[in-house]
Amino acid sequence: MPSYDVIIIGSGPGGYVCAIRCAQLGLKTAVVEGRETLGGTCLNVGCIPSKALLHASHMLHEAEHNFAAMGLKGKAPSVDWKQMLSYKEDTIGQNTKGIEFLFKKNKVDWLKGWGSIPEAGKVKVGDDVHAAKHIIIASGSKVSTLPGVEIDEKTVVSSTGALELGKIPKKLIVIGAGVIGLELGSVYKRLGSEVKVIEFLDAITPGMDAEIQKTFQRTLKKQGIAFQMGAAVQGVEVKNNKAKVTYKLRKDDSEHVEDADTVLVATGRSPYTDGLGLEALGVEMSKRGQIVTDGHYATTVKGIYAIGDCIDGPMLAHKAEDEGMAIAEILAGQKGHVNYNVIPGVIYTHPEVASVGQTEEQLKEAGIAYNVGKFSFMGNGRAKANFAGDGFVKILADKSTDRILGAHIIGPMAGDLIHEVCVAMEFGAAAEDLARTCHAHPTYSEAVREAALACGDGPIHS
Ligand code: NAI
């Protein structure tokens, strides 16, 4: 029986990063993956393909709205949807092949097929059984469905179907104003669809800083996305490739029906652990279907560990990656660790939205006194030159120590800008430390510095 130090089930960002780190640390490692390509949901049907479509549709938006003002005259480009999808496929291919290359380079074996765990220390793939000292489950998550809504991936789609629609819909209804709904809703709005988002709560992007939520929703409305807030979708009926969405308003229980060509169900994801045999093994699961782990990613069965979307915490690729690195280091006898207080969250719309650490609402609830430093991109020269003055940077710092507790950005390149605050937070920095750091001019990052200055004596450019 082939034998490994570590077998990882799942090759998404959690699993493949974990495998490479295990191999780098001298552990004989294999990854079980049943898909045709490596990379899991993120690379094949998630983060990477959606970013390709977000980029392409943003380019179209720039051409339609800003080129003429810059003196770039001419007809705006038309959309060749087939070509756009093939650009997206190429992007996926380059990334998934990249992981295959990294596996070969690091001598990580790919066990092709769907894995299960017949007993601790063994992984079954097809008819083959492999022995492993340690088994790491990195099996990810799947789309959560709604009662009364059947996903056919044609008319009623999950994010997977939304990335390969046969044509650009005339009218798209998005159920759920979370990250997936707003990112993909933005794509189709820019490609010409009428887009309406139906959301159960009264605010979009649950858990985000409330001021950002409001500004973000206002910005999306300005871009032409319609919202029906406080509405619970009851069901979707499909006839002749058209959908009828029924929803109830929470305020008065009134029922409404709305037609759409395509419906995107984006109401969350749940852990994917089907077929692993965890119940028979006695691995403890939470009520929400997550694998229960201790602080070192150990499940309740010795020798079996779990990371990423199938355990507790935010369902984010980079959280899974960091957990993958940490468990690899722990198994190699080092001190792997993830700082859950400094995990950035990014929404890749235009403008982007990014946050790290605590929101104002969380600080108020915890009774922590804080200073707010805010700076608008309107005061940033680079942003103005690039038609990107919408949005702001907000830094929250402890009132007595000035230590940075959180940062929330809506604006150009927010997903990149957030990382200087992440590094500062990892080092326990004060807002003054950021404010005293020289920032190159003219860059968007000056807005971060100005927000840090605003926590103290005040920004310069506002
Ligand atoms: P989500 O949890 O972010 O948002 C789902 C929304 O649907 C919530 O606002 C909820 O109130 C609403 N909802 C639920 N049931 C409803 C109903 N019956 N009627 C109307 N509204 C309803 O989930 P989403 O957007 O599907 O994303 C899933 C996961 O994937 C999240 O954990 C997200 O963080 C992750 N993700 C992250 C990305 C990123 O980091 N850029 C990109 C895509 C996904």
Side-chain angles (χ1 to χ4, degrees), residues 379-403:
N380 178 274
R382 182 72 178 276
K384 273 206 284 235
N386 294 359
F387 301 100
D390 277 349
F392 59 86
V393 180
K394 170 158 122 178
I395 292 179
L396 306 172
D398 189 287
K399 202 167 195 92
S400 54
T401 64
D402 194 34
R403 190 181 173 133

Side-chain angles (χ1 to χ4, degrees), residues 146 176 178-180 183 199-200 206 231 233 266 268-269 315-316 346 348:
L146 277 178
V179 190
I180 292 182
E183 284 186 355
E199 165 59 46
F200 180 75
V233 169
R269 298 179 64 85
M315 287 183 166
L316 297 172
V346 179
Y348 299 88

Side-chain angles (χ1 to χ4, degrees), residues 11-13 16-17 20 38-40 43 93-106 108:
S11 73
Y16 87 74
V17 168
I20 293 170
L38 299 170
L43 270 76
Q94 284 171 29
N95 281 277
T96 55
K97 282 198 193 80
I99 300 178
E100 232 178 300
F101 163 78
L102 291 173
F103 273 14
K104 280 191 190 125
K105 185 177 160 201
N106 288 283
V108 172

